[in-house]
């Protein structure tokens, strides 16, 4: 890849970040020695002020239990020698979860405070994923993956046969998410309202341009829409809005500067009030319309404007159901389908293009209406209670703070009642509520704060749930330790066929294992201990070859097997 990159960009330059500011000279020399095993180009240098530091301490025990006991004794000695020594700054890194569990057992017997990430695998627990699936679906009504999970627990009498009928109707444009919308059952078809309003009623196609992509903090700077009645244009709305948040880089998208908006823009409260009056009684249509509606509702809340519940249709969703294309952006769809009008990131141009896309889709929607009605009639009855439940929760989502909304979800969905006989799962759900309280950003509106929390949870690891100051040793796999650092690190399980692993050697992935060892070694800031053991499942093992590649700044303590094998 780099070869091709340099060919395509012959004037590119390379910069190597090789000066280390966070560890000792001796540990850096060990790391540099390991790097030298697979790279002749990258050499690591300590900063001028780096401490010399202490030698790496190595130990090879007779068996796994005695290895873990030796590690525990070293931790106790470090604590005894320095009262300010914190167990939270000690990491015991292993190659496999089995080794972590074995060390944990010994630490428990020796009363060494610790935790392993696997013991607290919180965010992957069934009940936690069930609760979060509800919240994600409330924010994204097109998320079929979350809806499938919602249908699992508690049981709703919707079996595989029913789901199979719905999946088979995908060619008709039906989706599972249509069956949790009450209007689907009221009208008999998820697109009946759109077809009715397009042919005999009122449709408003609208769009916004904004200062950025975050509804919680950004602002609308241009707002426009066109009302169509019985397929004919009957009115237009357009205005620029004064902004307090700078347009920043968004200027390069829509071309609206802060100076222009200061001159031509109207007050946002006046603009939104007039727009809400313009769209009253109409069905709203937009491309990726959920984003535009979020911007409208968030800003309306900030301005203390009441925003009525709005019915809407998303041409992005419709296009994905009925058109096979490589890309579903409005611009690409217009080009792909040869439609008139060209999107320019100015609202009335984009509104016109969206309407032409809608015109293209209407005959396709009308074509299979009767067939869709039969599927809804046959499969839909079991979904009606869930549809009403989701609708009521979605209405609460913009009013309740995230912890309160989660509480309502657990109660109304029946999840808390479903798990009430399993105390551990109930306690986990209660802890999730506490996490939501801690993460709720009161400076944001409820929906924006909920989006922020769910984003944080999607990135969270189980380690993130623990207070860094908590006096416990961390026992982690090397993979789990990526991005972390500790004052003191023990790399355990450095035995033949464990690290590097047997299958990695057999499959020729030894360099991958070596790079993982480098990750483990470089988690240490001040002290590094490396340990292994000879007897594993009744078989004698030699010390890992990694003892032999860390340079000369090491000593063997309490054993002699490593020196005998490699020196």
């Amino acid at each position: 890849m780099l070869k091709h990159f340099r060919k395509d960009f012959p004037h590119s330059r390379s910069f190597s970040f090789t000066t280390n500011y966070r560890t000792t000279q001796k540990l850096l020399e060990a790391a540099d020695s390991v790097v030298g095993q697979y790279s002749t180009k990258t050499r690591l240098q300590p900063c001028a002020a780096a401490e010399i530091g202490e030698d790496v301490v190595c130990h090879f025990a007779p068996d796994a239990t005695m290895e873990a006991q030796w590690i525990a004794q070293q931790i106790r000695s470090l604590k005894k020698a320095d009262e300010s020594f914190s167990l939270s700054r000690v990491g015991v890194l292993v190659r496999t979860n089995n080794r972590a569990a074995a060390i944990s057992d010994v630490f428990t017997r020796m009363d060494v405070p610790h935790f392993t990430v696997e013991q607290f695998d919180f965010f992957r627990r069934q009940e936690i994923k069930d609760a979060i699936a509800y919240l994600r679906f409330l924010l994204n009504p097109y998320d079929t993956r979350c809806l499938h999970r919602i249908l699992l627990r508690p049981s709703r009498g919707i079996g595989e046969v029913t789901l199979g009928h719905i999946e088979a109707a995908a060619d008709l444009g039906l989706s599972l998410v249509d069956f949790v919308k009450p209007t689907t059952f009221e009208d008999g078809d998820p697109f009946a309202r759109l077809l009715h309003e397009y042919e005999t009623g009122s449709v408003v196609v609208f769009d916004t341009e904004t200062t950025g992509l975050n509804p919680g903090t950004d602002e609308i700077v241009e707002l426009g829409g066109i009302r169509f009645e019985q397929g004919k244009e009957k009115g237009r709305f357009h205005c620029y809005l004064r902004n307090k948040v700078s347009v920043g880089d968004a200027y390069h998208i829509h071309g609206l500067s802060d100076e222009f908006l200061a001159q031509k823009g109207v007050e946002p409260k006046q603009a939104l009030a007039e727009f809400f009056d313009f769209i009253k009684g109409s069905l709203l249509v937009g491309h990726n319309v959920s984003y535009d509606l979020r911007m409208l509702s968030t800003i309306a809340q900030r301005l203390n404007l009441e925003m009525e519940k709005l019915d809407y249709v998303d041409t992005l969703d419709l296009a994905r159901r009925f058109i096979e294309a490589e890309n579903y952006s409005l611009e690409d769809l217009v080009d792909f389908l040869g439609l008139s009008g060209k999107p320019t990131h100015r609202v009335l141009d984009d509104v016109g293009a969206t309407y032409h896309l809608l015109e293209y889709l209407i005959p396709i929607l009308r074509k299979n209406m009767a067939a869709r009605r039969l599927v809804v009639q046959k499969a839909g009855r079991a979904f009606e209670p869930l549809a009403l439940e989701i609708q009521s929760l979605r209405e609460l989502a913009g009013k309740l703070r995230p912890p309160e909304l989660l509480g309502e979800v657990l109660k109304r969905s029946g999840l808390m009642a479903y798990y009430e006989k399993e105390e551990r799962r109930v306690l986990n759900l209660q802890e999730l509520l506490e996490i939501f309280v801690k993460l709720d950003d009161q400076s944001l509106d409820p929906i924006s704060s909920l989006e922020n929390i769910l984003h944080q949870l999607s990135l969270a690891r189980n380690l993130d749930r623990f207070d860094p100051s908590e006096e416990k040793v961390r026992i982690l796999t090397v993979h789990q330790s990526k991005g972390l650092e500790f004052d003191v690190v023990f790399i355990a399980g450095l035995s033949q066929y464990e690290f590097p692993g047997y299958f990695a050697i057999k499959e020729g992935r030894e360099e991958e294992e070596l790079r993982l060892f480098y990750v483990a070694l470089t988690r240490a800031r001040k002290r590094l201990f490396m340990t292994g053991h000879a007897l594993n499942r009744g078989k004698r093992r030699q010390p890992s070859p990694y003892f032999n590649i860390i340079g000369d700044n090491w000593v063997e303590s309490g054993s002699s097997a490593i020196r005998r094998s490699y020196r």
Side-chain angles (χ1 to χ4, degrees), residues 266-481:
V266 300
E267 286 299 321
K269 191 167 189 176
Q270 175 190 340
L272 263 63
E274 291 175 0
F275 181 71
F276 291 157
D277 187 57
F278 175 77
I279 64 176
K280 188 171 291 184
S282 298
L283 177 67
L284 291 181
V285 177
H287 198 75
N288 193 21
V289 71
S290 299
Y291 168 76
D292 299 292
L293 288 172
R294 276 281 291 115
M295 290 297 302
L296 283 174
S297 63
T298 302
I299 294 172
Q301 277 193 318
R302 284 186 222 157
L303 300 173
N304 294 318
L305 274 176
E306 187 172 342
M307 180 173 165
E308 296 180 2
K309 180 186 173 185
L310 301 172
D311 290 331
Y312 64 90
V313 171
D314 192 342
T315 53
L316 174 62
D317 174 53
L318 296 180
R320 284 173 171 163
R321 297 194 196 200
F322 293 100
I323 299 170
E324 289 189 20
E326 291 186 4
N327 194 304
Y328 290 92
S329 71
L330 183 57
E331 185 174 6
D332 286 333
L333 284 170
V334 167
D335 289 342
F336 177 69
L337 299 173
L339 303 177
S340 58
K342 185 172 179 62
T344 63
H345 287 290
R346 298 301 297 272
V347 292
L348 291 182
D349 289 340
D350 291 2
V351 165
T354 302
Y355 181 72
H356 291 306
L357 176 59
L358 180 64
E359 279 187 311
Y360 178 89
L361 287 163
I362 288 293
I364 303 174
L365 296 177
R366 192 184 295 113
K367 179 181 177 182
N368 292 311
M369 188 174 184
R372 287 194 300 271
R373 285 184 179 277
L374 288 175
V375 177
V376 170
Q377 186 178 6
K378 186 174 184 179
R381 188 172 300 171
F383 284 88
E384 290 191 52
L386 177 61
L388 293 172
E389 175 191 307
I390 294 293
Q391 182 185 49
S392 66
L393 287 170
R394 196 163 275 144
E395 290 171 355
L396 291 175
K399 302 173 183 177
L400 301 181
R401 300 303 306 177
E404 298 168 335
L405 178 64
L406 174 58
E408 287 297 315
V409 164
L410 294 176
K411 181 173 67 176
R412 297 192 186 197
S413 68
L415 275 176
M416 191 64 88
Y418 178 83
Y419 287 118
E420 65 181 355
K421 295 181 180 179
E422 299 180 72
E423 183 181 1
R424 177 177 57 82
R425 295 191 188 276
V426 171
L427 291 174
N428 286 336
L429 290 171
Q430 290 173 346
E431 182 175 350
L432 183 64
L433 280 164
E434 293 172 6
I435 291 172
F436 268 58
V437 171
K438 291 178 182 177
L439 295 180
D440 183 17
D441 187 345
Q442 296 288 335
S443 69
L444 298 175
D445 64 276
I447 293 291
S448 297
S449 180
L450 178 60
E451 287 175 335
N452 187 47
I453 292 172
L454 294 179
H455 178 66
Q456 290 187 58
L457 296 187
S458 70
L459 300 175
R461 296 173 298 178
N462 298 293
L463 196 65
D464 297 330
R465 294 173 53 243
F466 295 92
D467 185 345
S469 64
E470 189 176 14
E471 281 294 298
K472 289 184 178 182
V473 174
R474 276 61 168 155
I475 303 177
L476 311 171
T477 66
V478 181
H479 282 294
Q480 291 164 342
S481 75

Side-chain angles (χ1 to χ4, degrees), residues 47-98:
C47 70
E51 296 179 6
I52 294 175
E54 299 189 46
D55 287 335
V56 179
V57 178
C58 301
H59 176 78
F60 200 71
D63 60 36
T65 299
M66 296 179 73
E67 177 190 7
Q69 289 171 345
W70 187 87
I71 294 172
Q73 289 163 359
Q74 300 308 304
I75 293 171
R76 284 178 172 174
S77 296
L78 291 168
K79 182 69 174 175
K80 186 176 181 181
D82 181 2
E83 290 185 2
S84 65
F85 180 81
S86 174
L87 296 181
S88 68
R89 299 305 302 148
V90 178
V92 179
L93 309 185
V94 296
R95 182 66 184 86
T96 66
N97 289 322
N98 288 339

Side-chain angles (χ1 to χ4, degrees), residues 9-141:
F9 301 94
H11 300 296
S12 64
R13 291 188 293 162
S14 297
F15 300 87
S16 295
F17 297 91
T18 56
T19 303
N20 187 291
Y21 294 86
R22 69 177 182 87
T23 192
T24 67
Q25 292 186 28
K26 287 189 175 182
L27 289 183
L28 199 63
E29 287 172 14
D32 187 60
S33 181
V34 174
V35 168
Q37 302 295 310
Y38 58 81
S39 173
T40 58
K41 297 179 181 179
T42 303
R43 310 306 295 183
L44 307 176
Q45 299 293 331
C47 70
E51 296 179 6
I52 294 175
E54 299 189 46
D55 287 335
V56 179
V57 178
C58 301
H59 176 78
F60 200 71
D63 60 36
T65 299
M66 296 179 73
E67 177 190 7
Q69 289 171 345
W70 187 87
I71 294 172
Q73 289 163 359
Q74 300 308 304
I75 293 171
R76 284 178 172 174
S77 296
L78 291 168
K79 182 69 174 175
K80 186 176 181 181
D82 181 2
E83 290 185 2
S84 65
F85 180 81
S86 174
L87 296 181
S88 68
R89 299 305 302 148
V90 178
V92 179
L93 309 185
V94 296
R95 182 66 184 86
T96 66
N97 289 322
N98 288 339
R99 181 62 52 221
I103 293 173
S104 175
D105 288 342
V106 173
F107 277 22
T108 300
R109 292 198 297 270
M110 296 182 67
D111 198 26
V112 177
H114 70 283
F115 70 75
T116 67
V117 172
E118 293 307 312
Q119 287 175 305
F120 302 93
D121 205 359
F122 186 77
F123 295 113
R124 291 169 57 189
R125 294 191 183 281
Q126 174 181 293
E127 61 276 14
I128 301 303
K129 292 170 78 172
D130 287 350
I132 289 175
Y134 260 94
L135 296 172
R136 291 195 186 283
F137 188 67
L138 294 182
L139 291 182
N140 181 4

Side-chain angles (χ1 to χ4, degrees), residues 239-243 261-272 274:
C239 69
Y240 300 108
L241 286 72
R242 290 197 192 112
N243 58 314
L261 294 167
Q263 294 176 2
K264 301 292 185 179
V266 300
E267 286 299 321
K269 191 167 189 176
Q270 175 190 340
L272 263 63
E274 291 175 0

